[in-house]
Amino acid sequence: MIVLNDDVVLIQKGTKLGEPCVITVNCPDKTGLGCDICRTILNFGLYITKGVSYCFNQQSDCTAPSPVYLLKFFCLDRKGLLHDVTQVLSELELTIQRVKVTTTPDGRVLDLFFITDNMELLHTKKRQDDTLEQLYAVLGESCISCELQLAGPEYENHQCVSSLSPGIAEELFRCELSDKESHSQALSPDMTILKKASVIVDNSLSPAHTLLQIYCVDHKGLVYDILRTLKDCNIKISYGRLSQNTKGYRDLDLFIQQKDGKKIVDPEKQSALCSRLKVEMLHPLRVVISNRGPDTELLVANPVELSGKGRPRVFFDATLALKMLGICIFSAEIGRHSTSDREWEVYKFLLEENCEFQLLNMVGRNQIVDRLRRILMGW
């Protein structure tokens, strides 16, 4: 057995074509470490195929927040522009915190991206020049201006998403998916398997740990959704095992403790944790399409961790889905919305009518929601 004393990340490529890579991480432990690692993996668009194992000593960890920069560009509009810019930022390891996109009547767009740098180098001139160079390359001759600077007070002004109607908010943030076909979140027949999940608590196999046995439909970010839930509940993971995907399902065994190092023996706490996990696994992303006056509005929402961090790559995947569907975006924004029990990250898109889908027709809208949800969930 090799004991690694220093922080290290090792990546071992598969020996054959198509075999997954093995990522080994050695670093100080903290509550929610597994969630943070999974968020990083998800942020790179990677997919966990097998096995997670934890055996750590608890230590504290404090990191300063990354500075926020404002990327502002003005250019001629075209189909897929928003996703192309988002892809460049993703490849540069720049994380989008907020965005405000506006299309003018003469077919131009003014985009404001509030971003942070995963490499912590955006304060250097070289990093800024490289970023602008790659953006100019994707925007081409349509680019009128492009600027990058530290964000000022305007970032706080874009924290909250514009108001949601009570009906839309109720549908978007409800705990369960609706069975009514009139609601835009209703599941298509082959997706009703989403509602099948099992979470079992067992205290008989370990004298020091509670065993969570989880069985559910696989989706992109499944492990992240489970571990962020446990992190928000102050649950420590000592050891875990993730099975391979079998006919679209996954098994996950986790040996856990409360923050005080004790097992979870209270039946009410066990029940609450199981219920919370089921909701977060079955319904991690919400998608609704509705009218906003004469316009058609698409909303995507996901819960925010208690640490304040949102789910990675949602804006990337949503803009990719709309580009694949041939739907142009008239305007877009990212903001936060607070309900009675938690905070949500909300992505709002006003859609242009000139596409193959009948946006005023419920069937066409349900097709958009269904296909968008599939792309977001990796199905």
Side-chain angles (χ1 to χ4, degrees):
M1 176 179 177
I2 299 176
V3 179
L4 301 175
N5 296 317
D6 299 321
D7 295 359
V8 66
V9 178
L10 302 176
I11 300 178
Q12 180 181 351
K13 295 184 178 180
T15 57
K16 299 178 181 178
L17 183 65
E19 282 190 349
C21 297
V22 177
I23 301 177
T24 303
V25 181
N26 180 77
C27 66
D29 189 24
K30 63 176 182 177
T31 300
L33 174 63
C35 168
D36 297 340
I37 293 174
C38 288
R39 187 196 309 110
T40 301
I41 291 173
L42 187 59
N43 195 42
F44 280 92
L46 302 176
Y47 183 75
I48 299 174
T49 61
K50 183 181 179 182
V52 286
S53 178
Y54 310 97
C55 186
F56 300 140
N57 294 317
Q58 190 74 6
Q59 295 183 18
S60 62
D61 177 65
C62 296
T63 56
S66 299
V68 179
Y69 287 80
L70 170 60
L71 171 66
K72 177 168 61 176
F73 63 87
F74 186 50
C75 66
L76 300 178
D77 194 16
R78 62 172 172 79
K79 185 179 295 185
L81 172 66
L82 188 55
H83 176 72
D84 292 343
V85 172
T86 302
Q87 184 169 6
V88 169
L89 297 179
S90 176
E91 292 172 351
L92 288 169
E93 297 187 40
L94 299 170
T95 299
I96 300 171
Q97 303 294 341
R98 300 287 180 273
V99 67
K100 179 70 174 179
V101 176
T102 305
T103 303
T104 64
D106 61 352
R108 304 183 183 192
V109 291
L110 175 62
D111 291 4
L112 305 178
F113 285 86
F114 295 92
I115 59 177
T116 53
D117 186 5
N118 296 341
M119 299 176 66
E120 301 288 353
L121 294 174
L122 206 50
H123 63 282
T124 65
K125 185 177 186 301
K126 183 179 186 306
R127 177 71 161 158
Q128 293 183 11
D129 290 344
D130 289 344
T131 299
L132 292 175
E133 181 181 347
Q134 295 205 37
L135 284 167
Y136 276 120
V138 73
L139 295 173
E141 296 180 356
S142 66
C143 183
I144 300 171
S145 65
C146 188
E147 303 172 10
L148 179 62
Q149 62 192 41
L150 270 172
E154 66 271 23
Y155 176 64
E156 298 299 326
N157 296 333
H158 287 83
Q159 286 280 67
C160 296
V161 71
S162 54
S163 61
L164 301 173
S165 69
I168 292 299
E170 193 278 332
E171 183 177 356
L172 194 60
F173 304 124
R174 64 158 52 102
C175 290
E176 301 294 339
L177 288 172
S178 173
D179 289 319
K180 299 178 181 178
E181 293 184 359
S182 60
H183 285 118
S184 57
Q185 290 203 86
L187 294 172
S188 54
D190 66 320
M191 293 175 68
T192 54
I193 56 173
L194 262 180
K195 296 190 176 182
K196 299 177 182 178
S198 171
V199 182
I200 299 174
V201 175
D202 189 340
N203 278 315
S204 65
L205 295 180
S206 170
H209 298 87
T210 294
L211 171 62
L212 274 183
Q213 295 178 301
I214 299 171
Y215 177 75
C216 66
V217 174
D218 195 16
H219 66 256
K220 181 166 59 178
L222 171 63
V223 180
Y224 166 73
D225 290 324
I226 294 172
L227 299 193
R228 69 172 169 81
T229 304
L230 296 176
K231 177 184 178 181
D232 286 351
C233 293
N234 275 321
I235 300 296
K236 298 190 297 183
I237 303 172
S238 298
Y239 175 80
R241 180 190 64 82
L242 172 68
S243 73
Q244 291 184 329
N245 184 310
T246 304
K247 297 182 178 179
Y249 282 83
R250 289 285 188 121
D251 284 298
L252 185 64
D253 294 334
L254 299 174
F255 286 87
I256 63 174
Q257 294 176 328
Q258 299 180 102
K259 192 174 183 180
D260 59 8
K262 297 180 180 179
K263 299 167 70 171
I264 304 174
V265 296
D266 185 336
E268 291 187 2
K269 289 184 179 180
Q270 293 178 4
S271 177
L273 179 60
C274 292
S275 297
R276 175 77 178 272
L277 281 167
K278 286 182 180 180
V279 170
E280 301 299 333
M281 289 188 300
L282 301 183
H283 205 9
L285 291 157
R286 317 296 175 88
V287 185
V288 165
I289 194 167
S290 64
N291 293 330
R292 193 173 84 177
D295 301 315
T296 300
E297 184 174 62
L298 174 71
L299 297 104
V300 179
N302 59 267
V304 175
E305 295 177 28
L306 290 183
S307 65
K309 296 181 179 179
R311 188 185 189 87
R313 292 179 68 90
V314 176
F315 191 73
F316 179 95
D317 288 339
T319 53
L320 173 61
L322 293 173
K323 179 180 178 180
M324 293 171 61
L325 295 173
I327 299 175
C328 292
I329 301 169
F330 181 76
S331 69
E333 64 174 304
I334 303 175
R336 298 289 174 95
H337 180 89
S338 296
T339 58
S340 59
D341 60 339
R342 69 192 316 173
E343 188 178 32
W344 298 80
E345 201 156 51
V346 180
Y347 305 78
K348 301 180 70 174
F349 303 93
L350 285 185
L351 308 180
E352 293 189 2
E353 297 289 339
N354 55 341
C355 64
E356 63 180 272
F357 297 93
Q358 297 296 320
L359 298 183
L360 297 178
N361 182 282
M362 181 59 70
V363 174
R365 291 185 173 199
N366 285 342
Q367 288 177 337
I368 294 174
V369 170
D370 184 75
R371 292 174 67 175
L372 183 61
R373 185 188 287 114
R374 291 176 187 273
I375 292 174
L376 290 171
M377 300 289 281
W379 292 327

